[in-house]
Amino acid sequence: MWQAIQGIAFLGVISGARPPSLACRPSPPQGGRLFASWPSLIFKVGKAGPAPKLPISPLEGEMPGRAEGGASHRLLSRAFFAALALAIASPLSVRADPLPAGFVRLAEIDPTIRQDIRYAGVENFLHRKADGYDAPVCILTAQAAKALSSVQKAMTAKGLTLVVFDCYRPARAVADMGRWTREGGRPDPQWYPTAERGDLIAKGYIGEFSSHSRGSTVDLAIAEPGNKSAVHPACGAPDGDTLDFGTGFDCFDPKSETASALIDAEATANRKTLLIAMRAAGFRNYAREWWHFTLAKSLSQNSASISRLTPIEAPWGCHHPDRF
């Protein structure tokens, strides 16, 4: 028994008792569906009856009512459950896969940029998690992350913030999206209202190869921090909690073209604000998607070998958006 207590106490010590990392914390607007606190693993304590009598005592051979070292069973029981509670409350961390040279997690460069990584959840055109998105984390080249941070500083000066929806995209996710597209299907009013699923590659909305896999492409928008957006676009992500851009992220429709004349003046002005800020930091826009930008002078010209997006630390109970 004493060895068991020592083992559990040691588990609590090595776990570090640290809070969940940024990568595992829910990013708005998907936050709020996560537990407000770590759920207890002890239920109905007040209704628990006496422990069943075991055929063989776990302390058989020892003096009844006494434990090793002379402690009473009651004190030993209290110590045991205290150590168990410590172990449960202390997250056991797992170190994420190392990144290739030149790549960073955006939160390490600028934690003020809001991350709402859509392909790590179900609220995207796939209606499920994309292969390789094991955590809602933004990974970019260090060069792109620093350039994006400079845009964030400009936004902050205006009382605004950037919101990123996708950054580095694993090659396995690109292949997953390609397979999904080739399966075909009818238009989806929420995501591709005027196109057949099988035509999305030909129309330029989904790529057989993606610049996202080079680590210097980012999908993003602008939001007002602390203010709940009343914008709920009919096409694309309906709950991005951003300024009005005429459509939501990943609306595969002509209205999403950056210079589209099919949107109102406010949305046009917001797209212009984003475009000017991103250009000033060296990014160029993909004309068919107002949210899609690539660092023009990226040092990374080849796809990186990051097979999966993993959190910096994955504590017990770390939830991802597709699970709640």
Side-chain angles (χ1 to χ4, degrees):
M1 176 67 79
W2 182 242
Q3 286 83 353
I5 295 172
Q6 289 179 315
I8 293 173
F10 178 69
L11 179 61
V13 171
I14 63 170
S15 63
R18 291 174 294 179
S21 63
L22 286 172
C24 280
R25 295 174 187 169
S27 55
Q30 297 187 5
R33 285 176 285 180
L34 200 59
F35 292 112
S37 61
W38 297 109
S40 172
L41 298 183
I42 302 175
F43 302 95
K44 300 182 180 178
V45 173
K47 297 182 180 180
K53 206 165 185 181
L54 299 177
I56 301 177
S57 168
L59 297 175
E60 185 175 25
E62 298 178 6
M63 184 180 296
R66 309 294 291 179
E68 293 176 278
S72 70
H73 281 302
R74 180 174 295 179
L75 291 177
L76 185 59
S77 177
R78 289 177 180 173
F80 174 81
F81 283 109
L84 179 60
L86 175 63
I88 291 172
S90 304
L92 183 61
S93 301
V94 178
R95 182 59 54 181
D97 295 336
L99 299 179
F103 284 77
V104 297
R105 293 174 177 83
L106 178 61
E108 297 171 351
I109 300 298
D110 195 330
T112 69
I113 298 176
R114 185 192 299 175
Q115 297 188 34
D116 184 10
I117 308 302
R118 287 295 168 135
Y119 301 134
V122 299
E123 294 171 358
N124 57 63
F125 67 88
L126 296 169
H127 297 283
R128 61 170 173 79
K129 181 178 79 71
D131 190 14
Y133 282 79
D134 292 348
V137 57
C138 173
I139 293 175
L140 292 169
T141 61
Q143 186 183 14
K146 291 174 182 177
L148 198 62
S149 181
S150 71
V151 179
Q152 175 71 347
K153 288 179 174 61
M155 290 295 108
T156 301
K158 299 178 180 180
L160 302 170
T161 184
L162 295 177
V163 182
V164 295
F165 300 113
D166 193 32
C167 302
Y168 174 83
R169 185 177 301 168
R172 63 197 308 155
V174 177
D176 182 22
M177 293 176 183
R179 286 191 301 270
W180 173 89
T181 304
R182 287 187 290 273
E183 290 173 359
R186 299 171 62 84
D188 183 334
Q190 183 65 54
W191 301 99
Y192 42 99
T194 61
E196 298 282 336
R197 186 203 292 194
D199 294 334
L200 294 178
I201 292 177
K203 289 181 177 291
Y205 295 120
I206 295 177
E208 294 277 15
F209 302 95
S210 176
S211 61
H212 278 278
S213 297
R214 294 178 179 173
S216 292
T217 294
V218 61
D219 295 336
L220 78 171
I222 302 171
E224 291 185 82
N227 291 335
K228 186 70 175 176
S229 175
V231 177
H232 298 286
C235 180
D239 59 345
D241 204 22
T242 68
L243 301 183
D244 185 4
F245 285 89
T247 74
F249 163 67
D250 262 5
C251 170
F252 300 148
D253 187 81
K255 287 184 179 180
S256 291
E257 294 177 7
T258 307
S260 174
L262 303 175
I263 59 175
D264 63 26
E266 181 182 358
T268 298
N270 289 334
R271 290 186 185 187
K272 185 176 180 180
T273 297
L274 179 62
L275 184 65
I276 291 173
M278 293 297 284
R279 280 181 174 174
F283 288 89
R284 64 172 184 268
N285 174 244
Y286 175 48
R288 305 202 70 171
E289 299 174 348
W290 59 261
W291 57 82
H292 182 114
F293 291 86
T294 300
L295 190 63
K297 296 181 180 180
S298 172
L299 294 176
S300 177
Q301 300 300 322
N302 300 311
S303 296
S305 56
I306 305 174
S307 62
R308 292 185 178 276
L309 302 188
T310 58
I312 298 176
E313 292 172 338
W316 289 352
C318 178
H319 295 260
H320 301 311
D322 61 305
R323 297 176 189 166
F324 53 85

